[in-house]
Amino acid sequence: MKIVRQFSIITLLALIGEGLHYLIPLPVPGSIYGMLLLLIALCLKIIKPEQIRETASFLIEIMPMMFIPAAVGLLESGNTADLVPMLIIIVVSTALVFGASGLVTQAVIRAEKKSKEEQV
């Protein structure tokens, strides 16, 4: 029952985000509005992280699987002439994401070490 409640909270915010997408005339996807609502609710402590932790962890774990249908759709809709530019874009963007993720992780680890040293 706990997981159903957690999933319902996340789904409700996503649904409200989709509603905002139709109401606000900006080219922003409804999922982004939903994520912003979740961020605001977490920052204002309307929703506590414990209230959605298990479901959020599960969704993060299965996130790579969510990209498969989109990738298959792109491959089916495109022709083989687009394959080389798409592969170049994929390789470059993957390298950029790896690099950015590594730099952010290093910064967070350094900040945590610094705060621990200051506490001692």
Side-chain angles (χ1 to χ4, degrees), residues 7-65:
F7 193 75
S8 297
I9 291 169
I10 294 170
T11 304
L12 177 65
L13 290 171
L15 183 64
I16 294 170
E18 289 296 327
L20 288 174
H21 171 69
Y22 288 107
L23 293 175
I24 300 172
L26 293 174
V28 177
S31 58
I32 300 299
Y33 287 125
M35 294 296 276
L36 286 174
L37 289 173
L38 178 59
L39 176 65
I40 291 167
L42 287 168
C43 288
L44 296 177
K45 300 191 192 254
I46 297 168
I47 297 174
K48 294 182 177 76
E50 300 82 37
Q51 292 177 300
I52 58 170
R53 179 161 293 155
E54 288 86 5
T55 300
S57 295
F58 170 73
L59 291 172
I60 289 170
E61 287 175 13
I62 66 165
M63 189 180 353
M65 295 294 293

Side-chain angles (χ1 to χ4, degrees), residues 49-114:
E50 300 82 37
Q51 292 177 300
I52 58 170
R53 179 161 293 155
E54 288 86 5
T55 300
S57 295
F58 170 73
L59 291 172
I60 289 170
E61 287 175 13
I62 66 165
M63 189 180 353
M65 295 294 293
M66 302 299 178
F67 290 108
I68 293 173
V72 170
L74 281 173
L75 291 174
E76 283 186 1
S77 67
N79 57 26
T80 55
D82 295 336
L83 189 60
V84 172
M86 283 178 39
L87 287 174
I88 292 170
I89 291 169
I90 290 170
V91 169
V92 170
S93 63
T94 300
L96 289 174
V97 169
F98 281 171
S101 298
L103 291 173
V104 169
T105 302
Q106 286 178 345
V108 168
I109 290 171
R110 286 183 186 133
E112 286 178 356
K113 283 183 181 178
K114 185 181 265 188

